[in-house]
Amino acid sequence: MTVGELYGRLKDKSKWFFMERDIGRLFSALRSSGDFWEVLDLSEVPMLLASWLVGELEREGFVAVVGEEVRLTEKGECFCRENDISRARRLECPWCRGKAVHVEAYMKVLREFKGLSLERPEPLRQYDQGYVTEESTVARVVLMAARGDLEGNAILVLGDDDLAGLALALTGAPKEVVVLDIDERLLDFIEDKAREVGFHNLEARRADFRDPLPEDLVGRFDVFLTDPSESLPALKAFIGRGVVGLKGLGGAGYFGLTRAESSLWKWRELEKILVEDFGMAITDIIHDFNAYLSWGYEREMKAWDYLPVKAEPKGIWYRSCWFRIERVEETHLENVPIEGEIVEDEEMATA
Ligand code: SPD
Protein backbone atom coordinates (compact mmCIF):
# COMPACT_ATOMS: atom_id res chain seq x y z
CA MET A 1 0.00 0.00 0.00
CA THR A 2 1.23 3.53 -0.71
CA VAL A 3 1.08 6.46 1.67
CA GLY A 4 -1.41 8.07 -0.72
CA GLU A 5 -3.70 5.02 -0.62
CA LEU A 6 -3.61 4.88 3.18
CA TYR A 7 -4.31 8.62 3.35
CA GLY A 8 -7.25 8.14 0.98
CA ARG A 9 -8.77 5.59 3.39
CA LEU A 10 -8.34 7.78 6.46
CA LYS A 11 -8.64 11.39 5.44
CA ASP A 12 -12.41 11.78 5.64
CA LYS A 13 -12.56 10.17 9.07
CA SER A 14 -10.32 12.76 10.76
CA LYS A 15 -11.84 15.53 12.89
CA TRP A 16 -8.62 17.52 12.52
CA PHE A 17 -6.67 19.15 9.71
CA PHE A 18 -4.77 16.21 8.21
CA MET A 19 -2.30 15.98 5.34
CA GLU A 20 -0.82 12.99 3.54
CA ARG A 21 2.54 14.15 4.82
CA ASP A 22 1.43 13.54 8.44
CA ILE A 23 1.36 9.81 7.74
CA GLY A 24 4.99 9.80 6.61
CA ARG A 25 5.99 11.93 9.60
CA LEU A 26 4.28 9.60 12.05
CA PHE A 27 5.73 6.39 10.58
CA SER A 28 9.16 7.99 10.44
CA ALA A 29 9.00 8.81 14.16
CA LEU A 30 7.65 5.34 14.95
CA ARG A 31 10.71 3.87 13.26
CA SER A 32 12.83 5.74 15.80
CA SER A 33 10.94 5.24 19.02
CA GLY A 34 8.20 3.26 20.71
CA ASP A 35 7.72 5.93 23.38
CA PHE A 36 4.62 7.78 22.27
CA TRP A 37 5.73 11.08 23.83
CA GLU A 38 8.95 10.88 21.87
CA VAL A 39 6.97 9.98 18.76
CA LEU A 40 4.91 13.15 19.23
CA ASP A 41 8.08 15.19 19.62
CA LEU A 42 9.86 13.68 16.61
CA SER A 43 6.90 13.52 14.24
CA GLU A 44 5.52 17.03 14.81
CA VAL A 45 2.07 15.69 14.01
CA PRO A 46 -0.44 17.60 16.18
CA MET A 47 -1.05 15.67 19.36
CA LEU A 48 -4.75 14.86 18.99
CA LEU A 49 -4.38 13.91 15.33
CA ALA A 50 -1.37 11.70 16.10
CA SER A 51 -3.24 9.95 18.92
CA TRP A 52 -6.23 9.27 16.70
CA LEU A 53 -4.00 8.13 13.83
CA VAL A 54 -2.21 5.58 15.99
CA GLY A 55 -5.62 4.08 16.83
CA GLU A 56 -6.44 3.82 13.11
CA LEU A 57 -3.02 2.32 12.32
CA GLU A 58 -3.53 -0.24 15.07
CA ARG A 59 -6.88 -1.23 13.55
CA GLU A 60 -5.18 -1.59 10.14
CA GLY A 61 -2.42 -3.75 11.68
CA PHE A 62 0.48 -1.33 11.11
CA VAL A 63 1.21 -0.79 14.79
CA ALA A 64 0.63 -2.63 18.03
CA VAL A 65 0.40 -1.21 21.51
CA VAL A 66 2.61 -3.38 23.70
CA GLY A 67 2.63 -2.42 27.38
CA GLU A 68 3.65 1.24 27.44
CA GLU A 69 5.00 1.22 23.88
CA VAL A 70 3.59 1.79 20.39
CA ARG A 71 5.50 -0.53 18.07
CA LEU A 72 5.52 -0.95 14.32
CA THR A 73 4.39 -4.44 13.32
CA GLU A 74 6.00 -6.38 10.48
CA LYS A 75 3.30 -4.89 8.21
CA GLY A 76 4.23 -1.40 9.45
CA GLU A 77 7.97 -1.96 8.88
CA CYS A 78 7.21 -3.29 5.40
CA PHE A 79 5.04 -0.22 4.67
CA CYS A 80 7.99 2.02 5.62
CA ARG A 81 10.40 0.10 3.40
CA GLU A 82 8.03 0.17 0.42
CA ASN A 83 7.39 3.89 0.83
CA ASP A 84 11.01 4.89 1.53
CA ILE A 85 10.18 6.20 5.00
CA SER A 86 13.38 6.56 6.97
CA ARG A 87 13.94 6.94 10.73
CA ALA A 88 13.32 10.39 12.15
CA ARG A 89 16.53 11.89 13.58
CA ARG A 90 17.30 14.93 15.70
CA LEU A 91 20.27 16.49 13.97
CA GLU A 92 20.48 19.69 16.00
CA CYS A 93 23.78 21.40 16.71
CA PRO A 94 25.14 19.95 19.97
CA TRP A 95 26.67 23.31 21.00
CA CYS A 96 23.56 25.46 20.94
CA ARG A 97 21.01 22.60 21.05
CA GLY A 98 19.33 24.12 18.03
CA LYS A 99 18.76 27.48 19.71
CA ALA A 100 21.05 29.35 17.32
CA VAL A 101 22.55 31.41 20.16
CA HIS A 102 25.40 30.74 22.55
CA VAL A 103 24.60 31.46 26.19
CA GLU A 104 28.26 31.73 27.25
CA ALA A 105 28.22 35.50 27.71
CA TYR A 106 25.15 35.08 29.96
CA MET A 107 26.30 32.13 32.09
CA LYS A 108 26.15 34.23 35.25
CA VAL A 109 22.55 35.19 34.47
CA LEU A 110 21.70 31.52 33.86
CA ARG A 111 23.29 30.44 37.14
CA GLU A 112 21.50 33.09 39.15
CA PHE A 113 18.23 32.49 37.32
CA LYS A 114 18.38 28.78 38.15
CA GLY A 115 18.90 29.61 41.82
CA LEU A 116 15.99 32.06 41.95
CA SER A 117 13.67 29.71 40.03
CA LEU A 118 13.91 27.03 42.70
CA GLU A 119 11.06 28.63 44.60
CA ARG A 120 8.86 29.45 41.61
CA PRO A 121 5.10 28.83 41.71
CA GLU A 122 4.07 25.52 40.18
CA PRO A 123 1.91 25.48 36.99
CA LEU A 124 -1.86 25.78 37.29
CA ARG A 125 -4.14 24.08 34.80
CA GLN A 126 -6.72 26.80 35.35
CA TYR A 127 -4.42 29.19 33.42
CA ASP A 128 -2.99 26.57 31.02
CA GLN A 129 0.45 27.12 32.56
CA GLY A 130 3.51 25.03 31.79
CA TYR A 131 6.94 26.59 31.87
CA VAL A 132 10.09 26.18 29.78
CA THR A 133 13.51 25.08 31.04
CA GLU A 134 15.68 27.81 32.58
CA GLU A 135 18.02 27.37 29.59
CA SER A 136 15.13 28.23 27.25
CA THR A 137 14.17 31.37 29.17
CA VAL A 138 17.74 32.62 29.26
CA ALA A 139 18.25 31.76 25.59
CA ARG A 140 15.29 34.06 24.83
CA VAL A 141 17.16 36.87 26.57
CA VAL A 142 20.37 36.05 24.71
CA LEU A 143 18.51 36.12 21.40
CA MET A 144 17.02 39.50 22.33
CA ALA A 145 20.54 40.77 23.05
CA ALA A 146 21.74 39.43 19.71
CA ARG A 147 18.93 41.18 17.83
CA GLY A 148 19.43 44.52 19.60
CA ASP A 149 16.18 44.12 21.57
CA LEU A 150 17.62 44.14 25.10
CA GLU A 151 20.01 46.94 26.09
CA GLY A 152 18.18 50.13 27.02
CA ASN A 153 14.86 48.81 25.73
CA ALA A 154 11.41 49.10 27.26
CA ILE A 155 10.11 45.52 27.31
CA LEU A 156 6.56 44.25 27.84
CA VAL A 157 6.05 40.62 28.94
CA LEU A 158 2.51 39.32 28.43
CA GLY A 159 2.01 36.24 30.60
CA ASP A 160 5.09 35.09 32.46
CA ASP A 161 5.08 31.62 33.98
CA ASP A 162 8.47 31.24 32.24
CA LEU A 163 9.84 34.10 34.40
CA ALA A 164 11.29 35.95 31.41
CA GLY A 165 10.79 39.21 33.32
CA LEU A 166 13.09 37.96 36.03
CA ALA A 167 15.75 36.78 33.56
CA LEU A 168 15.60 40.21 31.90
CA ALA A 169 15.96 41.86 35.30
CA LEU A 170 19.04 39.76 36.05
CA THR A 171 20.83 41.20 33.03
CA GLY A 172 20.24 44.72 34.36
CA ALA A 173 20.13 45.77 30.70
CA PRO A 174 16.56 46.89 29.87
CA LYS A 175 15.41 50.45 30.50
CA GLU A 176 12.17 49.07 31.95
CA VAL A 177 10.27 45.79 32.13
CA VAL A 178 6.52 45.51 32.63
CA VAL A 179 5.18 42.03 33.34
CA LEU A 180 1.47 41.36 32.90
CA ASP A 181 -0.15 38.16 34.13
CA ILE A 182 -3.48 36.95 35.45
CA ASP A 183 -1.82 34.96 38.25
CA GLU A 184 -1.03 37.00 41.38
CA ARG A 185 1.41 34.32 42.63
CA LEU A 186 3.66 34.94 39.63
CA LEU A 187 3.40 38.71 39.87
CA ASP A 188 4.42 38.72 43.53
CA PHE A 189 7.25 36.26 42.92
CA ILE A 190 8.70 38.14 39.94
CA GLU A 191 8.45 41.56 41.57
CA ASP A 192 10.02 40.36 44.85
CA LYS A 193 12.90 38.56 43.15
CA ALA A 194 13.61 41.43 40.76
CA ARG A 195 13.90 43.76 43.77
CA GLU A 196 16.06 41.21 45.55
CA VAL A 197 18.57 41.24 42.67
CA GLY A 198 18.59 45.03 42.64
CA PHE A 199 16.57 45.71 39.48
CA HIS A 200 14.07 48.44 40.27
CA ASN A 201 12.69 49.15 36.82
CA LEU A 202 10.30 46.19 36.79
CA GLU A 203 6.60 46.50 37.38
CA ALA A 204 4.33 43.44 37.64
CA ARG A 205 0.67 44.09 37.04
CA ARG A 206 -2.45 41.89 36.90
CA ALA A 207 -4.05 41.62 33.47
CA ASP A 208 -6.50 39.50 31.53
CA PHE A 209 -5.71 39.73 27.82
CA ARG A 210 -9.38 39.66 26.92
CA ASP A 211 -9.37 43.21 28.26
CA PRO A 212 -7.83 46.04 26.24
CA LEU A 213 -4.21 46.88 27.01
CA PRO A 214 -4.30 49.63 29.69
CA GLU A 215 -3.97 53.11 28.16
CA ASP A 216 -0.68 53.92 29.90
CA LEU A 217 0.94 50.87 28.25
CA VAL A 218 -0.27 51.60 24.71
CA GLY A 219 2.59 52.61 22.39
CA ARG A 220 5.16 52.57 25.22
CA PHE A 221 7.46 49.62 24.42
CA ASP A 222 10.31 48.76 22.07
CA VAL A 223 9.83 45.03 22.46
CA PHE A 224 7.28 42.51 23.72
CA LEU A 225 7.51 38.85 24.60
CA THR A 226 4.71 36.32 25.10
CA ASP A 227 4.10 32.57 25.00
CA PRO A 228 0.34 32.20 24.67
CA SER A 229 -1.98 29.25 24.85
CA GLU A 230 -2.39 28.08 21.30
CA SER A 231 -5.98 28.57 20.32
CA LEU A 232 -6.08 31.08 17.47
CA PRO A 233 -8.15 33.55 19.53
CA ALA A 234 -5.64 33.40 22.40
CA LEU A 235 -2.66 33.79 20.07
CA LYS A 236 -4.36 36.71 18.42
CA ALA A 237 -5.25 38.32 21.77
CA PHE A 238 -1.84 37.97 23.44
CA ILE A 239 0.22 38.93 20.40
CA GLY A 240 -2.26 41.63 19.40
CA ARG A 241 -2.02 43.28 22.84
CA GLY A 242 1.75 43.10 22.51
CA VAL A 243 1.70 44.86 19.16
CA VAL A 244 -0.60 47.54 20.60
CA GLY A 245 2.05 48.08 23.28
CA LEU A 246 4.78 48.82 20.71
CA LYS A 247 5.94 52.35 20.00
CA GLY A 248 5.61 51.86 16.26
CA LEU A 249 7.71 50.91 13.26
CA GLY A 250 10.75 48.81 14.16
CA GLY A 251 9.14 47.56 17.37
CA ALA A 252 9.77 43.84 17.85
CA GLY A 253 7.86 40.92 19.35
CA TYR A 254 8.72 37.37 20.38
CA PHE A 255 6.37 34.41 20.89
CA GLY A 256 6.30 30.61 20.83
CA LEU A 257 4.29 28.29 18.62
CA THR A 258 4.21 24.48 18.83
CA ARG A 259 3.47 21.77 16.31
CA ALA A 260 1.84 19.71 19.09
CA GLU A 261 -1.16 22.02 19.46
CA SER A 262 -1.08 23.94 16.20
CA SER A 263 -1.33 22.38 12.75
CA LEU A 264 0.42 24.09 9.87
CA TRP A 265 -3.01 25.29 8.85
CA LYS A 266 -3.23 27.23 12.11
CA TRP A 267 0.36 28.42 11.61
CA ARG A 268 -0.64 29.92 8.28
CA GLU A 269 -3.80 31.52 9.67
CA LEU A 270 -1.72 33.15 12.37
CA GLU A 271 1.01 34.21 9.95
CA LYS A 272 -1.66 35.93 7.81
CA ILE A 273 -2.87 37.84 10.88
CA LEU A 274 0.69 38.84 11.81
CA VAL A 275 1.52 40.10 8.35
CA GLU A 276 -1.79 41.52 7.15
CA ASP A 277 -3.56 42.73 10.29
CA PHE A 278 -0.66 43.48 12.62
CA GLY A 279 1.74 44.89 9.98
CA MET A 280 4.57 42.63 11.10
CA ALA A 281 7.40 40.99 9.17
CA ILE A 282 8.56 37.60 10.46
CA THR A 283 12.31 37.94 10.91
CA ASP A 284 13.13 34.70 12.75
CA ILE A 285 11.55 31.30 13.42
CA ILE A 286 13.89 29.12 15.44
CA HIS A 287 12.74 25.52 15.38
CA ASP A 288 12.21 23.81 18.76
CA PHE A 289 13.86 26.71 20.58
CA ASN A 290 11.79 26.23 23.75
CA ALA A 291 11.66 23.01 25.77
CA TYR A 292 8.89 22.68 28.37
CA LEU A 293 9.07 20.72 31.61
CA SER A 294 6.22 18.43 32.68
CA TRP A 295 3.48 20.60 34.11
CA GLY A 296 2.15 17.98 36.52
CA TYR A 297 -1.48 17.84 35.37
CA GLU A 298 -0.92 15.56 32.37
CA ARG A 299 -3.66 13.16 33.46
CA GLU A 300 -6.22 15.98 33.51
CA MET A 301 -5.42 17.55 30.16
CA LYS A 302 -7.80 17.08 27.21
CA ALA A 303 -5.36 14.87 25.28
CA TRP A 304 -5.06 12.25 28.02
CA ASP A 305 -8.27 10.50 26.95
CA TYR A 306 -7.00 10.29 23.35
CA LEU A 307 -3.52 8.90 24.12
CA PRO A 308 -2.91 5.35 22.88
CA VAL A 309 -0.72 4.70 25.93
CA LYS A 310 -1.66 5.99 29.37
CA ALA A 311 1.81 6.60 30.73
CA GLU A 312 3.27 9.90 31.90
CA PRO A 313 6.17 11.38 29.93
CA LYS A 314 9.66 10.48 31.11
CA GLY A 315 11.43 13.50 29.68
CA ILE A 316 10.98 16.56 27.52
CA TRP A 317 8.61 15.99 24.59
CA TYR A 318 6.82 19.34 24.17
CA ARG A 319 8.73 22.10 22.40
CA SER A 320 7.89 25.29 20.62
CA CYS A 321 9.39 27.26 17.79
CA TRP A 322 10.35 30.81 18.70
CA PHE A 323 9.22 33.66 16.47
CA ARG A 324 10.64 37.14 16.22
CA ILE A 325 8.43 39.66 14.42
CA GLU A 326 9.02 43.32 13.65
CA ARG A 327 6.55 46.09 12.86
CA VAL A 328 6.99 47.39 9.32
CA GLU A 329 3.58 48.91 8.64
CA GLU A 330 1.35 50.98 10.91
CA THR A 331 -1.87 49.06 10.29
CA HIS A 332 -4.94 50.00 12.31
CA LEU A 333 -4.89 48.03 15.56
CA GLU A 334 -7.94 47.20 17.65
CA ASN A 335 -7.65 47.49 21.44
CA VAL A 336 -11.15 46.44 22.40
CA PRO A 337 -12.57 43.83 24.83
CA ILE A 338 -12.84 40.22 23.62
CA GLU A 339 -15.98 38.39 24.73
CA GLY A 340 -16.14 34.79 25.97
CA GLU A 341 -13.67 31.97 26.37
CA ILE A 342 -10.55 32.26 24.17
CA VAL A 343 -8.37 29.39 25.40
CA GLU A 344 -10.02 26.65 23.36
CA ASP A 345 -9.99 25.25 19.86
CA GLU A 346 -10.17 21.78 18.33
CA GLU A 347 -6.38 21.32 18.20
CA MET A 348 -5.57 22.41 21.74
CA ALA A 349 -4.58 19.33 23.66
CA THR A 350 -2.72 20.12 26.86
CA ALA A 351 -5.16 22.44 28.62
N1 SPD B 1 -0.96 23.21 29.16
C1 SPD B 1 0.33 22.85 29.42
C2 SPD B 1 1.46 23.65 28.94
C3 SPD B 1 1.16 24.59 27.89
C4 SPD B 1 2.32 25.43 27.63
N2 SPD B 1 1.97 26.40 26.70
C5 SPD B 1 2.93 26.64 25.75
C6 SPD B 1 2.39 27.47 24.69
C7 SPD B 1 3.36 27.71 23.63
N3 SPD B 1 2.92 28.76 22.80
Side-chain angles (χ1 to χ4, degrees):
M1 189 189 298
T2 66
V3 174
E5 284 163 351
L6 181 56
Y7 177 65
R9 283 158 74 145
L10 298 176
K11 71 172 194 294
D12 294 331
K13 292 203 217 167
S14 169
K15 286 201 278 185
W16 300 276
F17 176 71
F18 174 29
M19 297 189 292
E20 185 174 321
R21 180 111 196 234
D22 292 315
I23 292 181
R25 288 194 176 108
L26 190 62
F27 271 101
S28 177
L30 285 164
R31 287 202 87 177
S32 288
S33 178
D35 178 329
F36 187 64
W37 299 101
E38 205 176 341
V39 169
L40 288 170
D41 187 12
L42 285 169
S43 70
E44 304 199 306
V45 175
M47 190 173 182
L48 298 180
L49 173 66
S51 302
W52 169 78
L53 252 181
V54 164
E56 293 299 313
L57 296 183
E58 193 181 10
R59 248 184 298 284
E60 299 265 355
F62 291 105
V63 302
V65 176
V66 184
E68 293 197 347
E69 297 227 316
V70 180
R71 292 196 196 143
L72 284 174
T73 59
E74 188 43 47
K75 181 177 172 184
E77 291 285 0
C78 179
F79 178 82
C80 290
R81 283 194 298 273
E82 282 171 1
N83 285 282
D84 291 324
I85 297 172
S86 56
R87 293 163 61 95
R89 292 183 297 164
R90 263 193 180 283
L91 295 170
E92 65 191 19
C93 162
W95 295 99
C96 71
R97 301 246 167 245
K99 291 190 174 358
V101 283
H102 200 324
V103 289
E104 194 155 40
Y106 287 83
M107 277 316 274
K108 186 164 171 282
V109 170
L110 179 57
R111 252 195 321 273
E112 290 175 3
F113 184 64
K114 283 189 171 194
L116 293 174
S117 305
L118 290 173
E119 297 163 38
R120 72 195 301 163
E122 283 311 310
L124 291 179
R125 180 172 178 239
Q126 168 189 10
Y127 300 132
D128 190 29
Q129 290 169 346
Y131 52 76
V132 297
T133 59
E134 285 87 10
E135 285 77 6
S136 302
T137 298
V138 173
R140 291 174 179 180
V141 171
V142 178
L143 184 69
M144 290 166 86
R147 296 291 179 273
D149 294 330
L150 178 69
E151 294 278 337
N153 278 281
I155 301 172
L156 176 63
V157 183
L158 302 104
D160 199 15
D161 57 335
D162 300 321
L163 309 182
L166 187 52
L168 289 166
L170 279 167
T171 68
K175 183 169 84 185
E176 70 162 331
V177 178
V178 175
V179 174
L180 302 178
D181 204 288
I182 199 162
D183 184 351
E184 304 271 8
R185 300 173 314 152
L186 283 169
L187 297 171
D188 293 344
F189 181 79
I190 293 165
E191 214 163 43
D192 287 354
K193 295 292 176 192
R195 240 181 263 134
E196 200 176 301
V197 302
F199 188 80
H200 299 286
N201 299 331
L202 182 144
E203 183 197 346
R205 204 190 281 191
R206 191 165 188 280
D208 180 329
F209 301 115
R210 287 171 298 185
D211 299 330
L213 194 71
E215 256 332 291
D216 64 313
L217 304 182
V218 172
R220 167 162 152 189
F221 298 92
D222 302 292
V223 182
F224 75 85
L225 179 153
T226 187
D227 197 6
S229 294
E230 298 212 350
S231 67
L232 201 53
L235 286 159
K236 197 174 165 187
F238 281 59
I239 299 168
R241 304 296 185 212
V243 179
V244 166
L246 293 177
K247 282 176 186 162
L249 296 185
Y254 292 83
F255 69 90
L257 192 62
T258 70
R259 299 287 294 273
E261 302 200 75
S262 295
S263 66
L264 291 179
W265 180 272
K266 199 198 287 181
W267 274 53
R268 178 166 168 266
E269 290 301 304
L270 177 65
E271 285 165 355
K272 284 194 286 192
I273 293 168
L274 296 174
V275 172
E276 288 165 17
D277 301 346
F278 294 167
M280 308 300 286
I282 300 167
T283 64
D284 301 62
I285 304 177
I286 306 179
H287 185 253
D288 282 358
F289 184 94
N290 299 292
Y292 297 74
L293 294 166
S294 285
W295 36 83
Y297 53 83
E298 280 73 9
R299 286 177 181 270
E300 288 145 63
M301 65 190 184
K302 177 176 169 190
W304 187 263
D305 292 340
Y306 291 77
L307 293 177
V309 174
K310 307 289 186 224
E312 277 165 26
K314 294 181 191 72
I316 283 167
W317 64 277
Y318 184 96
R319 302 172 207 266
S320 72
C321 305
W322 195 233
F323 278 64
R324 180 182 181 279
I325 52 181
E326 188 165 323
R327 194 118 205 263
V328 292
E329 189 188 346
E330 298 218 310
T331 53
H332 170 73
L333 298 172
E334 299 261 323
N335 189 31
V336 293
I338 300 165
E339 300 300 329
E341 181 52 63
I342 58 170
V343 183
E344 206 172 278
D345 73 13
E346 68 283 358
E347 293 175 352
M348 276 196 64
T350 68

